[in-house]
Amino acid sequence: SASERHIAAEFGERWLGLLAALRRPKRYAAWVNPFTHFGDDGSLVDLLADCGFQRPTGTAGAAHLWVPQIGAGDGGVAYVERPRPHLQPLPKPPTCPSSGLKTYYPLDFASALPVLALLACLPPGARIFDACSAPGGKCLLLAGMLLARMSTRGRARDSAPGGERLTAMEWDKFRLSRLRQNLQLYLPEHVLTRVHALGGDASRPPMELRRETPFDGILVDAPCTSERERLLRDTARRSKAAGAETAAEAMPGGDGSSGADEDPPFVWDRRRSEDCAKRQVALLRSAMEMCAPHGSVVYSTCALSDIENDAVVEEALKGAPYRWHVHRGNIFSSQEGWSFDARALAEEADLTIEETRYGSRVLPDRGGWGPMYWSVLRGPAA
């Protein structure tokens, strides 16, 4: 179709390799919950190590992220091979017996990069808005970095006015319920007093949200065409219909073959992407209106096409309420000492970060992570 020719043309000779990577099982990192003490005896470390995970020493490790060890059967070139048999699959997160909270949250490491970029832009005592928050992985990562230190301060001070505060919004009722459930599963009560989960459309902020503006930092992880998620869901449905007996068999190559004969067709609809882009522009413009002049907005998607990525940023900047600009540079840090170093993060997780016209991206044909695009926008006083 014309749509499919368009997306293939965006990536040129790279397209066939990228398409093959999109069909492979996703890679996972783990956000280890800093609000639990489960594993102080080393049991959680042992569990993650048995699954081939390690805690990086740099920014990612400081954000409580654990990543697959390079060469552990899922990193770099080894990613295209089958996992080594001595490694266990990552199990469902166990519950901490003392706190009752879940101990870790599996996520694509690339999805953490927009959060780490936003953290590196924040002033002390920042008020943060996560505009499209469900299912909540990025919100948990923000809470873990911003609010974990509350556990070491007096509880009376925790409930005092001022200080870091995190507001999350989701317009879909089912996804909002899932977001609230995840917050309850992972965050203690004294931290939940600093996290406000609202239902509503961030492109048309309800009065309840407007009362909390302006924000110092906003994350807009916008709804998008999510090509890889749709491909993998189609693969799983086909395998289930064919009677696959295990989760591994439900993925391409799960039986040791390439799975090429059974791969679902890749269907990309330019009109659908353009419809998503209209909503994305509205969300991003609304975010800039709700952000303080000294603040920052990070826009992100897991879409492939420039239509939903750089083109959205370009269009939103045309209607910005005042002189916003794209923050360029691979190394920057906040007054709190949080830093974003693209090269160091790439080395920590064995991925490639590519620069685009207005942002950065990670694609799965170079390391298995993603897709993930993000752009850092700064207000006129930032």
Side-chain angles (χ1 to χ4, degrees):
S1 70
S3 289
E4 288 158 2
R5 288 195 296 272
H6 173 92
I7 191 67
E10 278 198 39
F11 294 96
E13 295 180 355
R14 186 178 180 182
W15 173 242
L16 291 180
L18 178 56
L19 182 56
L22 291 169
R23 288 192 168 112
R24 296 190 193 110
K26 291 181 69 174
R27 295 182 72 183
Y28 283 96
W31 174 76
V32 176
N33 193 347
F35 302 107
T36 70
H37 299 288
F38 181 53
D40 284 353
D41 59 356
S43 59
L44 184 58
V45 172
D46 290 343
L47 184 154
L48 292 171
D50 287 344
C51 298
F53 283 73
Q54 63 183 0
R55 183 174 184 174
T57 57
T59 302
H64 315 290
L65 291 165
W66 285 59
V67 298
Q69 299 172 24
I70 297 175
D74 122 311
V77 175
Y79 168 70
V80 303
E81 303 171 356
R82 297 191 67 187
R84 295 182 181 181
H86 70 277
L87 293 177
Q88 300 177 15
L90 190 65
K92 290 183 178 179
T95 300
C96 173
S98 60
S99 68
L101 301 174
K102 292 294 184 181
T103 50
Y104 61 80
Y105 186 96
L107 75 170
D108 185 325
F109 183 82
S111 71
L113 296 176
V115 178
L116 297 180
L118 179 61
L119 286 166
C121 298
L122 298 178
R127 296 166 59 86
I128 313 303
F129 178 46
D130 184 0
C132 309
S133 192
K138 295 180 178 67
C139 190
L140 291 175
L141 187 56
L142 283 167
M145 288 293 280
L146 289 168
L147 306 176
R149 57 191 165 179
M150 289 171 53
S151 297
T152 62
R153 301 192 305 223
R155 297 295 173 86
R157 185 179 174 186
D158 295 342
S159 59
E164 295 89 347
R165 186 171 178 84
L166 177 57
T167 302
M169 176 162 278
E170 177 58 46
W171 69 275
D172 182 89
K173 290 183 179 180
F174 175 79
R175 288 171 60 82
L176 175 63
S177 175
R178 188 178 174 194
L179 167 65
R180 286 172 170 165
Q181 181 185 45
N182 278 331
L183 295 178
Q184 292 285 342
L185 286 172
Y186 286 89
L187 302 181
E189 290 185 9
H190 71 281
V191 171
L192 286 170
T193 62
R194 294 284 190 181
V195 181
H196 193 192
L198 301 173
D201 183 352
S203 68
R204 300 176 179 178
M207 185 55 65
E208 188 177 10
L209 178 62
R210 289 189 178 277
R211 290 194 198 101
E212 300 194 24
T213 61
F215 295 101
D216 302 296
I218 299 179
L219 176 65
V220 182
D221 186 43
C224 66
T225 45
S226 305
E227 292 88 357
R228 191 177 194 184
E229 294 291 341
R230 289 191 292 115
L231 261 180
L232 295 181
R233 283 198 299 268
D234 288 346
T235 300
R237 279 196 294 265
R238 285 174 175 236
S239 297
K240 184 176 181 180
E245 295 181 357
T246 68
E249 290 173 356
M251 304 308 298
D255 59 355
S257 68
S258 67
D261 293 338
E262 300 178 3
D263 284 344
F266 178 83
V267 179
W268 186 80
D269 186 341
R270 178 168 180 165
R271 182 176 297 178
R272 186 167 184 261
S273 187
E274 290 172 343
D275 287 344
C276 281
K278 292 176 183 177
R279 174 161 168 74
Q280 290 158 354
V281 169
L283 284 164
L284 184 50
R285 283 179 173 166
S286 176
M288 290 190 285
E289 290 172 0
M290 290 188 286
C291 196
H294 64 264
S296 302
V297 174
V298 174
Y299 170 76
S300 64
T301 80
C302 59
L304 291 172
S305 177
D306 178 76
I307 291 172
E308 298 178 64
N309 296 330
D310 277 342
V312 167
V313 174
E314 183 174 50
E315 185 65 24
L317 286 171
K318 293 178 182 177
Y322 31 72
R323 195 172 181 82
W324 282 76
H325 61 278
V326 174
H327 179 83
R328 301 189 182 278
N330 293 322
I331 302 177
F332 49 99
S333 60
S334 70
Q335 298 174 41
E336 291 276 25
W338 293 316
S339 64
F340 185 91
D341 183 334
R343 179 177 295 179
L345 286 165
E347 291 176 355
E348 288 180 32
D350 184 35
L351 54 75
T352 300
I353 299 176
E354 307 171 35
E355 292 188 18
T356 68
R357 286 184 299 151
Y358 295 112
S360 304
R361 70 183 181 188
V362 173
L363 295 174
D365 60 332
R366 297 179 180 173
W369 303 106
M372 182 55 57
Y373 166 90
W374 69 96
S375 178
V376 180
L377 307 177
R378 308 295 295 269

